[in-house]
Amino acid sequence: MDLYGSLKKIFGFNQFKGLQEDVVNSILSNQNTFVIMPTGGGKSLCYQLPALMKEGTAIVVSPLIALMKNQVDAIRGISENPGIAHVLNSSLNKTEVNQVKTDIQNGVTKLLYVAPESLIKEEYVEFLRQQKISFVAIDEAHCISEWGHDFRPEYRNLRNIIKQIDNVPIIGLTATATEKVQEDILKTLGMSDANVFKASFNRANLFYEVRPKTKEVEKDIIRFVKQRPGKSGVIYCLSRKKVEEIAQVLQVNGINAVPYHAGFDAKTRARHQDMFLMEECDVVVATIAFGMGIDKPDVRFVIHHDIPKSLESYYQETGRAGRDGGEGHCLTFYSYKDIEKLEKFMANKPVAEQEVGHALLQEVVGYAETSMNRRKYLLHYFGEEFDDVNGPGADMDDNMRNPKKKHEAQDEVVKILSVIKKTNE
Ligand code: ADP
Ligand code: MG
């Protein structure tokens, strides 16, 4: 069957999204392939479709067990044979592992999802060496890089393990757009020859706003939320304590909010997350523990009570607004004191890590204090040119809607220059 036939028959789609078709062709022609697309861009299909079309089993490395399970269930839903996709992880018992192995040996399994810590297991490597493997896809490939927002040391070993299994094409996929992380991924996976596909990271429907953080911040947040009755939103805070405080303040003020952080037991977390997804509450007040893999399309605002530690995190977190293409207001409260706080947190980390952290923070300061087009600033950080006159969403930020007066802007330049000077000293 041809490509479009398979797309329609397997996934029910008439069209590829963005660069998907080129990516699929690259994988089908057995080339190392690197895919950089924002969250929601449709990366899964890029490896799932070729995996289903090719001979052998594709290995998919992913860090999140819950997400792997979702994907496996989805793939099983489109096939008569449940063996078509499997997860291999430490929670399987002996019988289950044997079933997975039998399905792979019989050529039934097209997609095998594994967590990196399972793939490293001698027993699995030994088994997989003897099977027909079509390719290895590494999802969330930024986990390989210390410059990414979610570094996982066990990712660094992947190249070695893959080499032991077979000489097959490697597919890296990430929503991380920074050049540093991209270089790191290509280098660490030994795939500098890869075909690189990078989609635009512009989210034209998001409105970016940064406000000074004052003592009135809680009142500001309440007012903002109350102006949007019944709308879904996420409020990010740095600490668990702050999450609980803000959630309570909102509740007292008649806003239907729930708290979410890793300090709650799994049951409570799941319940609060479900309440949000099922629209039984409007607002989740959360630490960054909330969001990975949450795909609620109609989140209308994301508020940062505390500024994130990198622009990368800022982009990912604000990116949870307006997935459906509708309104998405991203409001951040900024005070330089919070930057100093974040610097302090790093004080007892290894020096190299501190340097990375400091450099990332300076970019956040630059973004928060700039009077230029925020979208242009953000996309520039991701190595992307943006036309701030005619580009999609060019006027969608506070600086463009209410340009600062000249002297204010000049004051800012002086401030930024002094920050840059400090950084260089
Ligand atoms: P990513 O991993 O890049 O964040 P996903 O693979 O989870 O994105 O896909 C995001 C959404 O896009 C999913 O709901 C998926 O069904 C949808 N999607 C993917 N490809 C297409 C397509 N060609 N046409 C329509 N919808 C698509
Ligand atoms: Mg994905």
Side-chain angles (χ1 to χ4, degrees):
M1 204 188 312
D2 71 339
L3 210 49
Y4 277 82
S6 309
L7 178 70
K8 179 78 189 165
K9 178 157 175 272
I10 301 173
F11 293 96
F13 298 141
N14 292 317
Q15 235 109 46
F16 285 104
K17 212 156 87 169
L19 301 168
Q20 279 177 338
E21 183 170 8
D22 297 334
V23 175
V24 169
N25 279 322
S26 170
I27 299 176
L28 286 176
S29 59
N30 293 321
Q31 305 199 53
N32 288 336
T33 305
F34 188 24
V35 183
I36 307 145
M37 276 182 196
T39 304
K43 288 185 288 297
S44 323
L45 187 141
C46 291
Y47 57 78
Q48 287 170 344
L49 182 58
L52 296 168
M53 293 174 76
K54 277 171 100 79
E55 209 191 314
T57 305
I59 298 174
V60 181
V61 180
S62 167
L64 299 165
I65 289 174
L67 288 192
M68 290 196 273
K69 232 191 130 303
N70 280 352
Q71 294 218 357
V72 166
D73 289 344
I75 293 289
R76 283 179 180 167
I78 57 180
S79 165
E80 272 136 44
N81 194 334
I84 191 164
H86 276 300
V87 183
L88 194 56
N89 66 29
S90 46
S91 72
L92 301 188
N93 62 36
K94 197 88 200 139
T95 320
E96 289 167 326
V97 171
N98 284 337
Q99 181 64 52
V100 174
K101 286 183 171 174
T102 308
D103 283 341
I104 295 173
Q105 278 165 329
N106 292 340
V108 172
T109 302
K110 296 274 122 193
L111 282 148
L112 178 69
Y113 285 81
V114 276
E117 58 273 20
S118 298
L119 189 61
I120 291 167
K121 275 184 140 180
E122 191 59 42
E123 177 204 345
Y124 294 154
V125 174
E126 202 40 55
F127 170 77
L128 290 169
R129 283 167 74 101
Q130 295 160 36
Q131 310 309 316
K132 169 100 187 115
I133 305 300
S134 51
F135 58 83
V136 179
I138 300 173
D139 206 357
E140 316 290 346
H142 56 269
C143 292
I144 223 165
S145 171
E146 285 166 278
W147 287 90
H149 53 87
D150 191 19
F151 174 55
R152 299 186 185 222
E154 61 281 11
Y155 259 67
R156 293 209 83 93
N157 240 332
L158 285 175
R159 169 74 201 160
N160 257 326
I161 301 290
I162 295 170
K163 267 207 317 229
Q164 287 173 43
I165 293 173
D166 203 352
N167 182 22
V168 288
I170 300 179
I171 321 303
L173 306 103
T174 181
T176 300
T178 64
E179 307 252 316
K180 268 231 160 63
V181 175
Q182 289 162 23
E183 282 166 22
D184 242 13
I185 293 171
L186 289 173
K187 206 171 103 203
T188 316
L189 290 176
M191 50 190 280
S192 51
D193 62 339
N195 288 335
V196 179
F197 299 94
K198 183 170 176 177
S200 169
F201 274 68
N202 185 16
R203 295 283 308 277
N205 59 316
L206 298 188
F207 187 90
Y208 297 110
E209 178 181 4
V210 180
R211 286 189 206 170
K213 187 168 172 183
T214 66
K215 286 199 195 74
E216 307 281 290
V217 59
E218 291 180 5
K219 276 192 201 146
D220 288 346
I221 291 177
I222 291 164
R223 202 174 307 124
F224 183 94
V225 175
K226 286 209 156 175
Q227 281 164 354
R228 291 161 179 78
K231 299 280 171 72
S232 293
V234 181
I235 302 175
Y236 282 110
C237 303
L238 188 61
S239 69
R240 296 175 183 182
K241 190 162 152 263
K242 196 45 100 183
V243 162
E244 292 180 21
E245 266 173 42
I246 300 278
Q248 200 168 28
V249 166
L250 293 185
Q251 286 161 2
V252 167
N253 281 277
I255 294 165
N256 199 347
V258 295
Y260 186 104
H261 60 62
F264 291 115
D265 57 58
K267 226 167 146 189
T268 308
R269 282 200 313 253
R271 185 159 47 87
H272 288 184
Q273 179 176 314
D274 287 346
M275 283 175 74
F276 184 59
L277 294 175
M278 313 300 271
E279 320 236 305
E280 284 161 24
C281 72
D282 295 326
V283 178
V284 176
V285 188
T287 61
I288 52 170
F290 182 78
M292 266 286 218
I294 304 253
D295 195 5
K296 183 165 167 54
D298 59 347
V299 173
R300 297 277 78 100
F301 58 88
V302 170
I303 298 177
H304 280 96
H305 175 275
D306 303 291
I307 203 149
K309 62 186 193 319
S310 72
L311 281 187
E312 183 65 43
S313 306
Y314 174 79
Y315 179 84
Q316 300 296 343
E317 285 151 29
T318 53
R320 294 184 180 126
R323 286 265 174 84
D324 57 2
E327 190 196 336
H329 196 124
C330 311
L331 172 60
T332 301
F333 290 93
Y334 166 72
S335 139
Y336 195 80
K337 273 205 194 104
D338 284 348
I339 299 287
E340 289 170 342
K341 219 193 262 173
L342 290 168
E343 294 266 14
K344 249 191 227 137
F345 281 149
M346 299 188 293
N348 28 19
K349 298 227 163 124
V351 176
E353 211 172 306
Q354 279 187 46
E355 277 170 9
V356 170
H358 179 73
L360 294 174
L361 266 181
Q362 288 314 308
E363 294 284 357
V364 174
V365 172
Y367 174 82
E369 296 190 356
T370 190
S371 53
M372 71 182 249
N373 185 298
R374 292 200 192 277
R375 185 168 262 96
K376 189 180 175 81
Y377 195 105
L378 206 52
L379 291 173
H380 176 79
Y381 177 75
F382 294 137
E384 198 173 321
E385 293 264 355
F386 180 70
D387 174 352
D388 57 0
V389 180
N390 296 314
D395 66 339
M396 293 278 284
D397 75 53
D398 49 355
N399 289 337
M400 296 300 101
R401 292 282 167 90
N402 305 302
K404 292 198 177 101
K405 295 196 193 77
K406 244 212 178 111
H407 71 268
E408 284 177 274
Q410 261 161 11
D411 285 352
E412 240 173 46
V413 171
V414 173
K415 240 198 282 172
I416 292 168
L417 285 177
S418 75
V419 169
I420 293 172
K421 201 163 147 260
K422 255 191 251 159
T423 324
N424 291 338
E425 273 163 12

